[in-house]
Amino acid sequence: MTRAYVPYSRFHVGAALESTDGTIYDGCNIENSGFSLTNCAERTAFFKAISEGAPLRSFARIVIVSDDPGFTAPCGACRQVMQDLGGPELEIIMANAKDELRILPLRALLPMAFDPSALPGHHPA
Ligand code: THU
């Protein structure tokens, strides 16, 4: 969160993605002058993990924190990326400023999700 590059929104977000072997991949949001190119903290963490060789759907949980004193829910784009790379059982942990947690599986945040297995020629990882 402290590394977030947020010159436009000034809204700092941090994410910590834990793989099933205990490795933590962290991420922050990185904004862009072409606003739609902004990368959320959750996607940064996932893209770092995959680019560093973590296997597909080998993740237990992701924690999300932000400047908001309340809970920060992942955006729709991140939910779909988490579906593909993390899978429906990924635990989404939202932490607020009082260190309270709200914990839900991705399947509760993205019901009836589009899944890569729907694509013809899909090869499971
Ligand atoms: N943002 C995240 O990084 N993750 C979320 O879960 C919600 C939104 C970022 C995107 C943008 O840089 C800023 O927060 C305001 O939308």
Side-chain angles (χ1 to χ4, degrees), residues 33-68:
S33 56
F35 295 161
S36 65
L37 300 176
T38 289
N39 210 67
C40 291
E42 298 91 322
R43 274 176 288 146
T44 302
F46 262 101
F47 294 159
K48 280 173 67 179
I50 297 297
S51 72
E52 287 172 26
L56 204 62
R57 297 197 173 186
S58 66
F59 308 101
R61 55 190 63 85
I62 187 167
V63 183
I64 307 161
V65 291
S66 80
D67 288 330
D68 188 332

Side-chain angles (χ1 to χ4, degrees), residues 6 9 11 13 29-31 38-42 64 72-75 78:
V6 288
S9 74
F11 189 73
V13 186
N29 50 335
I30 303 169
E31 297 186 343
T38 289
N39 210 67
C40 291
E42 298 91 322
I64 307 161
T72 299
C75 81
C78 286

Side-chain angles (χ1 to χ4, degrees), residues 4-124:
Y5 173 65
V6 288
Y8 308 107
S9 74
R10 310 262 178 220
F11 189 73
H12 302 74
V13 186
L17 173 64
E18 185 180 355
S19 75
T20 45
D21 74 6
T23 309
I24 309 275
Y25 300 92
D26 55 16
C28 61
N29 50 335
I30 303 169
E31 297 186 343
N32 191 274
S33 56
F35 295 161
S36 65
L37 300 176
T38 289
N39 210 67
C40 291
E42 298 91 322
R43 274 176 288 146
T44 302
F46 262 101
F47 294 159
K48 280 173 67 179
I50 297 297
S51 72
E52 287 172 26
L56 204 62
R57 297 197 173 186
S58 66
F59 308 101
R61 55 190 63 85
I62 187 167
V63 183
I64 307 161
V65 291
S66 80
D67 288 330
D68 188 332
F71 299 108
T72 299
C75 81
C78 286
R79 293 180 197 204
Q80 184 63 45
V81 168
M82 294 194 286
Q83 172 76 23
D84 280 27
L85 304 180
E89 300 310 319
L90 180 77
E91 211 173 54
I92 312 295
I93 304 179
M94 293 160 272
N96 69 10
K98 293 185 207 157
D99 281 339
E100 295 163 333
L101 305 178
R102 184 134 193 235
I103 307 176
L104 290 164
L106 180 62
R107 65 182 147 71
L109 292 176
L110 192 64
M112 217 180 144
F114 184 75
D115 189 82
S117 61
L119 294 173
H122 166 74
H123 303 291

